[in-house]
Amino acid sequence: MHCPSILGDGAVKHYPIRLWTEFVILALGLPAAIWAFSKLIKTSVPASTYGSPGERFLWWIAGPSIAEWLFVLGIVFILRHRGLSLNDIGVWRGGNWRAWIFALSFASLAIGSNLRFLPRMNVPISSAFFPQGFHLAAALIMGTTAGFCEEVLFRGFLMTEFANAGYRKVAQVLIPGVAFGLAHAGYLNQGFLPWLGIAVPTALIGMMWGVSYLLGQRSLIPAMVAHFLNDATALQWISFFMVTGALGRPTG
């Protein structure tokens, strides 16, 4: 069950309590933080409740974005305290062709699966790839936040923590993948079954990007790009409909 630390002899040895505390904080603490920031926005910004569909959607995105970037900032401080940086968990590594093919292949499958919902919402397929108005802003915010923050948190940091704790690669992929699925608990407001229909595929795609992280010798950029493309295309239209109930509104 044990493997050498990927960060070398100077890496901090991880104890079970700390490791699983980090798991719980990311799996459950992150959605709790998202809920708190979203509530704060909803009570302090009238447009988040009474604005146009575009305004409500952009404010809905703001809560998760603030929470995730703050969590990444926390990871930066933790790494710095340990004498490490984001580069040590692969944030700036370009990977190899195997990592790119694997990451982009599963992103393509996820995007293709999401695209099938657009005609039901009276949205042209082309709008997923060429968004306009507030949808362009939403695509950039969602894609950048998810692509960077979630990959840093669940692949770069959490997978590295399990590696340094001596877990084999299968566990490094599966356990953070489960945390990634649980971290999307915000969709529980849509009901348990809709949440389950989101959390399970989310966990699975997270595991696949975890595999690409390992294939690329712990490089995050392939998974970041794949994650960006997934969240910036059809997924933001699906989220828009879930939040606002508005159909066929390609512009603001």
Side-chain angles (χ1 to χ4, degrees):
M1 183 173 176
H2 295 281
C3 66
S5 169
I6 64 165
L7 296 181
D9 295 335
V12 179
K13 296 302 180 182
H14 299 271
Y15 295 98
I17 292 177
R18 187 175 80 183
L19 179 67
W20 289 100
T21 297
E22 291 167 344
F23 173 92
V24 171
I25 288 173
L26 290 179
L28 303 179
L30 179 58
I34 290 172
W35 177 85
F37 280 110
S38 297
K39 275 291 186 183
L40 179 62
I41 290 171
K42 203 168 185 64
T43 56
S44 59
V45 181
S48 65
T49 302
Y50 305 108
S52 67
E55 289 175 321
R56 285 186 282 130
F57 185 48
L58 289 176
W59 282 114
W60 179 81
I61 292 171
S65 298
I66 293 170
E68 291 190 12
W69 283 105
L70 286 177
F71 265 62
V72 168
L73 185 61
I75 295 301
V76 171
F77 284 124
I78 289 172
L79 292 174
R80 183 170 295 179
H81 178 71
R82 298 174 185 176
L84 303 170
S85 68
L86 291 177
N87 190 57
D88 290 299
I89 60 174
V91 172
W92 313 120
R93 298 178 199 163
N96 53 38
W97 65 269
R98 292 186 303 164
W100 280 100
I101 290 176
F102 201 88
L104 293 177
S105 294
F106 280 94
S108 299
L109 290 174
I111 292 169
S113 177
N114 289 333
L115 285 174
R116 76 184 192 276
F117 294 105
L118 266 60
R120 305 179 193 178
M121 298 185 291
N122 301 324
V123 176
I125 297 295
S126 60
S127 295
F129 302 99
F130 303 101
Q132 300 176 23
F134 71 85
H135 279 291
L136 176 58
L140 293 174
I141 295 169
M142 286 182 63
T144 302
T145 299
F148 186 85
C149 297
E150 292 175 8
E151 292 308 310
V152 167
L153 296 173
F154 294 97
R155 254 63 70 186
F157 180 72
L158 197 56
M159 285 184 65
T160 299
E161 294 292 273
F162 276 90
N164 287 337
Y167 285 77
R168 293 187 181 275
K169 291 181 177 179
V170 172
Q172 294 173 38
V173 169
L174 293 179
I175 301 173
V178 171
F180 182 56
L182 291 174
H184 289 72
Y187 289 102
L188 277 168
N189 61 7
Q190 303 292 326
F192 179 77
L193 289 180
W195 169 77
L196 195 64
I198 293 169
V200 171
T202 298
L204 292 175
I205 192 67
M207 292 173 191
M208 296 303 101
W209 287 331
V211 172
S212 77
Y213 177 56
L214 297 182
L215 286 175
Q217 299 179 331
R218 298 187 180 272
S219 56
L220 266 184
I221 291 180
M224 284 180 173
V225 172
H227 201 153
F228 172 88
L229 294 173
N230 180 67
D231 283 49
T233 52
L235 187 59
Q236 64 108 351
W237 280 96
I238 295 171
S239 299
F240 171 68
F241 174 69
M242 291 177 68
V243 172
T244 67
L247 292 172
R249 296 172 183 259
T251 57

